[in-house]
PDB file of all heavy atoms in Angstrom:
ATOM      1  N   MET A   2      -5.711  13.263  -0.700  1.00 95.00           N
ATOM      2  CA  MET A   2      -5.245  11.973  -0.199  1.00 95.00           C
ATOM      3  C   MET A   2      -4.055  12.153   0.757  1.00 95.00           C
ATOM      4  O   MET A   2      -3.167  12.945   0.504  1.00 95.00           O
ATOM      5  CB  MET A   2      -4.815  11.119  -1.396  1.00 95.00           C
ATOM      6  CG  MET A   2      -4.314   9.764  -0.988  1.00 95.00           C
ATOM      7  SD  MET A   2      -4.004   8.730  -2.426  1.00 95.00           S
ATOM      8  CE  MET A   2      -2.513   9.445  -3.041  1.00 95.00           C
ATOM      9  N   LEU A  29     -15.128   2.501   8.225  1.00 98.00           N
ATOM     10  CA  LEU A  29     -16.414   2.516   8.910  1.00 98.00           C
ATOM     11  C   LEU A  29     -16.858   3.953   9.219  1.00 98.00           C
ATOM     12  O   LEU A  29     -18.043   4.216   9.394  1.00 98.00           O
ATOM     13  CB  LEU A  29     -16.348   1.689  10.206  1.00 98.00           C
ATOM     14  CG  LEU A  29     -16.119   0.182   9.979  1.00 98.00           C
ATOM     15  CD1 LEU A  29     -15.877  -0.531  11.304  1.00 98.00           C
ATOM     16  CD2 LEU A  29     -17.279  -0.457   9.222  1.00 98.00           C
ATOM     17  N   LYS A  32     -14.570   6.784   5.193  1.00 98.00           N
ATOM     18  CA  LYS A  32     -13.412   7.160   4.365  1.00 98.00           C
ATOM     19  C   LYS A  32     -13.067   6.042   3.377  1.00 98.00           C
ATOM     20  O   LYS A  32     -13.379   4.878   3.613  1.00 98.00           O
ATOM     21  CB  LYS A  32     -12.192   7.434   5.257  1.00 98.00           C
ATOM     22  CG  LYS A  32     -12.420   8.494   6.315  1.00 98.00           C
ATOM     23  CD  LYS A  32     -12.737   9.831   5.692  1.00 98.00           C
ATOM     24  CE  LYS A  32     -12.993  10.890   6.756  1.00 98.00           C
ATOM     25  NZ  LYS A  32     -13.505  12.128   6.170  1.00 98.00           N
ATOM     26  N   LEU A  45      -0.205  -8.380   7.164  1.00 98.00           N
ATOM     27  CA  LEU A  45      -1.367  -7.515   6.959  1.00 98.00           C
ATOM     28  C   LEU A  45      -2.396  -8.229   6.080  1.00 98.00           C
ATOM     29  O   LEU A  45      -3.590  -8.234   6.381  1.00 98.00           O
ATOM     30  CB  LEU A  45      -0.956  -6.184   6.324  1.00 98.00           C
ATOM     31  CG  LEU A  45      -2.119  -5.214   6.067  1.00 98.00           C
ATOM     32  CD1 LEU A  45      -2.716  -4.734   7.383  1.00 98.00           C
ATOM     33  CD2 LEU A  45      -1.678  -4.034   5.220  1.00 98.00           C
ATOM     34  N   PHE A  52      -4.670 -15.060   1.881  1.00 85.00           N
ATOM     35  CA  PHE A  52      -3.529 -15.961   2.057  1.00 85.00           C
ATOM     36  C   PHE A  52      -2.948 -16.415   0.727  1.00 85.00           C
ATOM     37  O   PHE A  52      -2.212 -17.382   0.661  1.00 85.00           O
ATOM     38  CB  PHE A  52      -3.928 -17.189   2.883  1.00 85.00           C
ATOM     39  CG  PHE A  52      -4.392 -16.838   4.266  1.00 85.00           C
ATOM     40  CD1 PHE A  52      -5.743 -16.727   4.553  1.00 85.00           C
ATOM     41  CD2 PHE A  52      -3.475 -16.597   5.279  1.00 85.00           C
ATOM     42  CE1 PHE A  52      -6.175 -16.381   5.838  1.00 85.00           C
ATOM     43  CE2 PHE A  52      -3.893 -16.256   6.555  1.00 85.00           C
ATOM     44  CZ  PHE A  52      -5.259 -16.154   6.831  1.00 85.00           C
ATOM     45  N   GLY A  58       1.833  -8.943  -6.028  1.00 96.00           N
ATOM     46  CA  GLY A  58       1.716  -7.912  -5.021  1.00 96.00           C
ATOM     47  C   GLY A  58       2.600  -6.733  -5.334  1.00 96.00           C
ATOM     48  O   GLY A  58       3.038  -6.538  -6.464  1.00 96.00           O
ATOM     49  N   ASP A  60       5.514  -6.504  -4.584  1.00 97.00           N
ATOM     50  CA  ASP A  60       6.830  -7.004  -5.001  1.00 97.00           C
ATOM     51  C   ASP A  60       7.050  -6.836  -6.503  1.00 97.00           C
ATOM     52  O   ASP A  60       8.094  -6.368  -6.944  1.00 97.00           O
ATOM     53  CB  ASP A  60       7.036  -8.465  -4.578  1.00 97.00           C
ATOM     54  CG  ASP A  60       5.980  -9.418  -5.144  1.00 97.00           C
ATOM     55  OD1 ASP A  60       4.898  -8.952  -5.564  1.00 97.00           O
ATOM     56  OD2 ASP A  60       6.240 -10.643  -5.167  1.00 97.00           O
ATOM     57  N   VAL A  73      -4.027  -4.326  -6.886  1.00 96.00           N
ATOM     58  CA  VAL A  73      -4.867  -3.940  -5.748  1.00 96.00           C
ATOM     59  C   VAL A  73      -6.098  -4.841  -5.707  1.00 96.00           C
ATOM     60  O   VAL A  73      -6.644  -5.223  -6.733  1.00 96.00           O
ATOM     61  CB  VAL A  73      -5.234  -2.433  -5.830  1.00 96.00           C
ATOM     62  CG1 VAL A  73      -6.110  -2.121  -7.015  1.00 96.00           C
ATOM     63  CG2 VAL A  73      -5.896  -1.961  -4.538  1.00 96.00           C
ATOM     64  N   LEU A  80     -12.632  -0.836   1.243  1.00 98.00           N
ATOM     65  CA  LEU A  80     -11.282  -1.080   1.779  1.00 98.00           C
ATOM     66  C   LEU A  80     -10.485  -1.943   0.793  1.00 98.00           C
ATOM     67  O   LEU A  80     -10.962  -3.002   0.365  1.00 98.00           O
ATOM     68  CB  LEU A  80     -11.400  -1.772   3.142  1.00 98.00           C
ATOM     69  CG  LEU A  80     -10.121  -2.139   3.892  1.00 98.00           C
ATOM     70  CD1 LEU A  80      -9.227  -0.924   4.126  1.00 98.00           C
ATOM     71  CD2 LEU A  80     -10.465  -2.778   5.242  1.00 98.00           C
ATOM     72  N   LEU A  95      18.451  -5.922  -3.169  1.00 82.00           N
ATOM     73  CA  LEU A  95      18.681  -5.232  -4.428  1.00 82.00           C
ATOM     74  C   LEU A  95      19.941  -4.372  -4.340  1.00 82.00           C
ATOM     75  O   LEU A  95      20.070  -3.543  -3.462  1.00 82.00           O
ATOM     76  CB  LEU A  95      17.475  -4.314  -4.683  1.00 82.00           C
ATOM     77  CG  LEU A  95      17.071  -4.061  -6.113  1.00 82.00           C
ATOM     78  CD1 LEU A  95      16.697  -5.369  -6.798  1.00 82.00           C
ATOM     79  CD2 LEU A  95      15.867  -3.128  -6.123  1.00 82.00           C
ATOM     80  N   ARG A 102      16.349   3.205  -6.087  1.00 91.00           N
ATOM     81  CA  ARG A 102      15.768   2.055  -5.374  1.00 91.00           C
ATOM     82  C   ARG A 102      14.843   2.510  -4.256  1.00 91.00           C
ATOM     83  O   ARG A 102      13.911   1.826  -3.891  1.00 91.00           O
ATOM     84  CB  ARG A 102      16.866   1.194  -4.737  1.00 91.00           C
ATOM     85  CG  ARG A 102      17.608   0.317  -5.704  1.00 91.00           C
ATOM     86  CD  ARG A 102      18.702  -0.402  -4.965  1.00 91.00           C
ATOM     87  NE  ARG A 102      19.585   0.534  -4.272  1.00 91.00           N
ATOM     88  CZ  ARG A 102      20.357   0.241  -3.255  1.00 91.00           C
ATOM     89  NH1 ARG A 102      20.373  -0.969  -2.771  1.00 91.00           N
ATOM     90  NH2 ARG A 102      21.114   1.144  -2.703  1.00 91.00           N
ATOM     91  N   ARG A 107       7.242   5.581  -4.693  1.00 97.00           N
ATOM     92  CA  ARG A 107       6.731   6.920  -4.992  1.00 97.00           C
ATOM     93  C   ARG A 107       6.421   7.066  -6.473  1.00 97.00           C
ATOM     94  O   ARG A 107       5.364   7.572  -6.867  1.00 97.00           O
ATOM     95  CB  ARG A 107       7.762   7.981  -4.564  1.00 97.00           C
ATOM     96  CG  ARG A 107       7.234   9.392  -4.722  1.00 97.00           C
ATOM     97  CD  ARG A 107       8.103  10.401  -4.026  1.00 97.00           C
ATOM     98  NE  ARG A 107       9.354  10.608  -4.731  1.00 97.00           N
ATOM     99  CZ  ARG A 107      10.397  11.289  -4.245  1.00 97.00           C
ATOM    100  NH1 ARG A 107      10.331  11.784  -3.022  1.00 97.00           N
ATOM    101  NH2 ARG A 107      11.485  11.447  -4.936  1.00 97.00           N
ATOM    102  N   PHE A 114      -4.771   6.122  -7.493  1.00 97.00           N
ATOM    103  CA  PHE A 114      -5.651   6.082  -6.306  1.00 97.00           C
ATOM    104  C   PHE A 114      -6.051   7.468  -5.810  1.00 97.00           C
ATOM    105  O   PHE A 114      -6.194   7.690  -4.613  1.00 97.00           O
ATOM    106  CB  PHE A 114      -4.996   5.295  -5.155  1.00 97.00           C
ATOM    107  CG  PHE A 114      -4.498   3.956  -5.547  1.00 97.00           C
ATOM    108  CD1 PHE A 114      -3.169   3.594  -5.325  1.00 97.00           C
ATOM    109  CD2 PHE A 114      -5.332   3.030  -6.148  1.00 97.00           C
ATOM    110  CE1 PHE A 114      -2.706   2.357  -5.696  1.00 97.00           C
ATOM    111  CE2 PHE A 114      -4.865   1.788  -6.524  1.00 97.00           C
ATOM    112  CZ  PHE A 114      -3.554   1.448  -6.301  1.00 97.00           C
ATOM    113  N   ALA A 127      12.178  -3.138  10.429  1.00 91.00           N
ATOM    114  CA  ALA A 127      13.526  -2.970   9.892  1.00 91.00           C
ATOM    115  C   ALA A 127      13.696  -1.512   9.537  1.00 91.00           C
ATOM    116  O   ALA A 127      12.782  -0.709   9.739  1.00 91.00           O
ATOM    117  CB  ALA A 127      13.685  -3.833   8.644  1.00 91.00           C
ATOM    118  N   VAL A 132      11.414   0.407   3.978  1.00 96.00           N
ATOM    119  CA  VAL A 132      11.016   1.538   4.814  1.00 96.00           C
ATOM    120  C   VAL A 132      11.394   2.858   4.132  1.00 96.00           C
ATOM    121  O   VAL A 132      10.629   3.826   4.145  1.00 96.00           O
ATOM    122  CB  VAL A 132      11.645   1.426   6.223  1.00 96.00           C
ATOM    123  CG1 VAL A 132      11.414   2.701   7.022  1.00 96.00           C
ATOM    124  CG2 VAL A 132      11.064   0.223   6.963  1.00 96.00           C
ATOM    125  N   ASP A 149       5.395  -1.099  27.254  1.00 81.00           N
ATOM    126  CA  ASP A 149       6.137  -1.964  28.170  1.00 81.00           C
ATOM    127  C   ASP A 149       7.522  -1.360  28.421  1.00 81.00           C
ATOM    128  O   ASP A 149       7.838  -0.286  27.936  1.00 81.00           O
ATOM    129  CB  ASP A 149       6.245  -3.389  27.624  1.00 81.00           C
ATOM    130  CG  ASP A 149       6.957  -3.431  26.283  1.00 81.00           C
ATOM    131  OD1 ASP A 149       7.846  -2.589  26.034  1.00 81.00           O
ATOM    132  OD2 ASP A 149       6.602  -4.299  25.473  1.00 81.00           O
ATOM    133  N   THR A 162      16.696   9.049  12.822  1.00 91.00           N
ATOM    134  CA  THR A 162      16.673   8.537  11.445  1.00 91.00           C
ATOM    135  C   THR A 162      15.648   9.283  10.616  1.00 91.00           C
ATOM    136  O   THR A 162      15.921   9.678   9.484  1.00 91.00           O
ATOM    137  CB  THR A 162      16.306   7.030  11.453  1.00 91.00           C
ATOM    138  OG1 THR A 162      17.164   6.365  12.377  1.00 91.00           O
ATOM    139  CG2 THR A 162      16.474   6.417  10.069  1.00 91.00           C
ATOM    140  N   GLU A 167      14.189  13.179   6.454  1.00 95.00           N
ATOM    141  CA  GLU A 167      13.481  14.414   6.070  1.00 95.00           C
ATOM    142  C   GLU A 167      14.442  15.394   5.411  1.00 95.00           C
ATOM    143  O   GLU A 167      14.100  16.031   4.414  1.00 95.00           O
ATOM    144  CB  GLU A 167      12.853  15.072   7.300  1.00 95.00           C
ATOM    145  CG  GLU A 167      11.589  14.392   7.782  1.00 95.00           C
ATOM    146  CD  GLU A 167      11.025  15.041   9.040  1.00 95.00           C
ATOM    147  OE1 GLU A 167      11.820  15.327   9.979  1.00 95.00           O
ATOM    148  OE2 GLU A 167       9.812  15.268   9.101  1.00 95.00           O
ATOM    149  N   SER A 233     -15.649  -5.423  21.917  1.00 98.00           N
ATOM    150  CA  SER A 233     -14.444  -5.534  22.749  1.00 98.00           C
ATOM    151  C   SER A 233     -13.779  -4.178  22.970  1.00 98.00           C
ATOM    152  O   SER A 233     -14.027  -3.215  22.244  1.00 98.00           O
ATOM    153  CB  SER A 233     -13.439  -6.466  22.069  1.00 98.00           C
ATOM    154  OG  SER A 233     -12.992  -5.882  20.848  1.00 98.00           O
TER     155      SER A 233
END
Side-chain angles (χ1 to χ4, degrees):
M2 180 173 74
L29 295 172
K32 303 298 179 189
L45 180 67
F52 299 97
D60 59 341
V73 66
L80 180 57
L95 212 61
R102 283 177 305 159
R107 186 167 73 191
F114 309 125
V132 171
D149 60 32
T162 309
E167 283 178 314
S233 65

